[in-house]
Amino acid sequence: MILTIKSDAKKKDIDALTEKIKDLGFTPHISKGAVKVIIGVIGENEHKYKDVFESYDIVESATPIVKPYKLVSREFKKENTVFDVGGVKVGGNKLIVIAGPCSVDTKENLFTCARAVKSAGAHFFRGGAFKPRSSPYSFQGHGESALKNLAEARKITGLPIVTEVMDTRQVEIVERYADILQVGARNCQNFELLKEVGQTRKPVMLKRGMANTVEEWLMAAEYIYSGGNHQIILCERGVRTFENSTRFTMDLNAIPVVKHYTHLPIIVDPSHGVGVRDFIAPMALAGVAAGADGVMIEVHPKPTEALSDGMQALLPVMFDKLMQDIGRVAAAVGRTI
Ligand code: PEP
Ligand code: MN
């Protein structure tokens, strides 16, 4: 339920109302917009108390939130969420570009890649230290040594780091090195992990599960947001369909749909969405044209040496060309890069 507060309301009356909300067993979330203060009343069956809230003099209106997700909904917050990560604005008019290898392998490859994506204009460097692999026999990631190498790559390039955390037991260590915590597709509904990253104050990039509806995905984001962490980037990375000529199917529909239903930023990851090197660039451009707030692209200087996802890694020269093309499409839709 959203309580819109009258503009002349006194602080002591707002405090009394928030106490009442707590007494009834709900959690108040206060949001101070440019013009109005609104209070989100979050809990189960809160709509039953509409009359109680409306009986307060300072309450202009009490409107139930129809969607099952509340705080991340546009109903709760009209303006786009924009936040700063290491000097880079996320969710604003300027797009963000995250690039780097699927997984961290040698220092030499990592640093070559970091320098290349930096000089092409990327804003964040990515690389996996803990890898979610379908087979237990596949490379699982170099763990902490990879995190240390990522931190060194940050020192060399100045690019903030995005890296995946797969389990509640890894949150502390990943948080120590990363600038953005990635929650991967396979963990989109790992509710304990979502609660744990909701407690951190590092931004979270939440990938859509390959079989999750937009509603389920936004409910997953709600777990993080309701824990107090409001810096969330959604990432469309393709869903599973009957089609097998590509690895997954990039759900471009999801971009305008998600932007309609939530105030959170959304980026696209055509590398996993398509999974075939030659088809990634057009889908990155399509994502930007559809209104995404950024893209994530896997890049590797020597894809044959990559320990995961080499077949979908762009060579630095291809990434460089893609960045220029993204600039043109961005300009066509009134954005910058
Ligand atoms: C990744 O970003 O390398 C990754 C494993 O992505 P996803 O969770 O989307 O499969
Ligand atoms: Mn990958």
Side-chain angles (χ1 to χ4, degrees):
M1 175 110 63
I2 294 172
L3 307 182
T4 305
I5 305 302
K6 289 181 183 161
S7 41
D8 59 354
K10 298 203 169 53
K11 184 178 175 303
K12 76 170 181 23
D13 294 328
I14 296 179
D15 290 346
L17 176 59
T18 48
E19 277 316 304
K20 176 71 181 175
I21 293 168
K22 288 183 199 160
D23 287 350
L24 290 170
F26 302 119
T27 311
H29 285 265
I30 301 185
S31 157
K32 292 187 175 119
V35 204
K36 293 235 149 94
V37 170
I38 64 168
I39 303 178
V41 180
I42 306 300
E44 225 175 347
N45 293 325
E46 82 288 2
H47 55 276
K48 290 187 179 154
Y49 296 85
K50 184 171 159 57
D51 293 346
V52 175
F53 296 126
E54 278 181 339
S55 71
Y56 277 72
D57 242 10
I58 59 166
V59 174
E60 195 171 278
S61 62
T63 319
I65 299 178
V66 181
K67 293 289 175 198
Y69 43 86
K70 310 290 176 189
L71 301 169
V72 305
S73 73
R74 278 265 182 220
E75 293 168 82
F76 177 65
K77 182 170 175 271
K78 298 264 174 294
E79 323 81 54
N80 290 337
T81 286
V82 181
F83 53 88
D84 189 281
V85 187
V88 183
K89 278 240 165 350
V90 179
N93 194 56
K94 193 170 180 310
L95 304 176
I96 60 160
V97 177
I98 303 171
C102 179
S103 50
V104 175
D105 48 67
T106 65
K107 267 193 179 196
E108 192 192 337
N109 284 341
L110 191 73
F111 299 161
T112 303
C113 191
R115 289 192 181 98
V117 303
K118 161 86 182 185
S119 78
H123 312 101
F124 294 92
F125 187 52
R126 63 148 286 154
F130 296 101
K131 293 304 303 176
R133 305 307 302 279
S134 301
S135 165
Y137 307 118
S138 300
F139 173 65
Q140 303 283 309
H142 283 313
E144 187 168 11
S145 67
L147 293 173
K148 288 190 170 142
N149 292 344
L150 284 167
E152 215 174 315
R154 172 175 50 212
K155 216 179 238 165
I156 294 169
T157 59
L159 295 179
I161 300 297
V162 183
T163 194
E164 177 158 357
V165 54
M166 294 204 301
D167 187 278
T168 52
R169 292 165 295 183
Q170 293 166 355
V171 172
E172 200 191 324
I173 187 167
V174 176
E175 193 185 8
R176 222 179 298 145
Y177 295 95
D179 298 287
I180 296 180
L181 307 174
Q182 172 172 327
V183 173
R186 289 154 192 82
N187 275 317
C188 182
Q189 287 188 307
N190 179 340
F191 301 116
E192 292 307 314
L193 179 61
L194 298 174
K195 284 183 209 164
E196 199 68 25
V197 297
Q199 294 304 310
T200 76
R201 288 302 167 262
K202 284 276 160 87
V204 176
M205 186 182 76
L206 175 64
K207 293 188 123 190
R208 178 185 187 174
M210 60 189 82
N212 284 142
T213 62
V214 165
E215 188 167 284
E216 287 166 340
W217 186 17
L218 295 182
M219 297 275 254
E222 184 86 8
Y223 266 91
I224 303 170
Y225 201 100
S226 61
N229 189 347
H230 300 173
Q231 301 190 324
I232 304 168
I233 306 166
L234 299 166
C235 178
E236 165 61 46
R237 49 78 70 207
V239 292
R240 187 155 269 174
T241 68
F242 58 84
E243 182 52 65
N244 59 9
S245 57
T246 51
R247 191 176 174 192
F248 293 95
T249 297
M250 270 259 297
D251 181 11
L252 282 175
N253 298 4
I255 301 161
V257 171
V258 161
K259 290 214 86 71
H260 178 78
Y261 287 116
T262 179
H263 50 83
L264 296 174
I266 175 173
I267 67 167
V268 286
D269 165 8
S271 298
H272 293 88
V274 180
V276 186
R277 181 175 300 118
D278 289 345
F279 307 144
I280 290 165
M283 293 312 288
L285 300 179
V288 171
D293 297 302
V295 298
M296 178 156 100
I297 304 287
E298 286 188 346
V299 179
H300 199 291
K302 292 180 185 159
T304 53
E305 289 181 14
L307 296 175
S308 58
D309 287 352
M311 68 293 169
Q312 67 189 35
L314 297 196
L315 289 159
V317 60
M318 299 168 85
F319 178 66
D320 201 73
K321 158 94 169 57
L322 174 60
M323 286 297 284
Q324 294 168 39
D325 292 344
I326 289 176
R328 281 190 282 274
V329 174
V333 293
R335 312 282 295 256
T336 59
I337 182 170

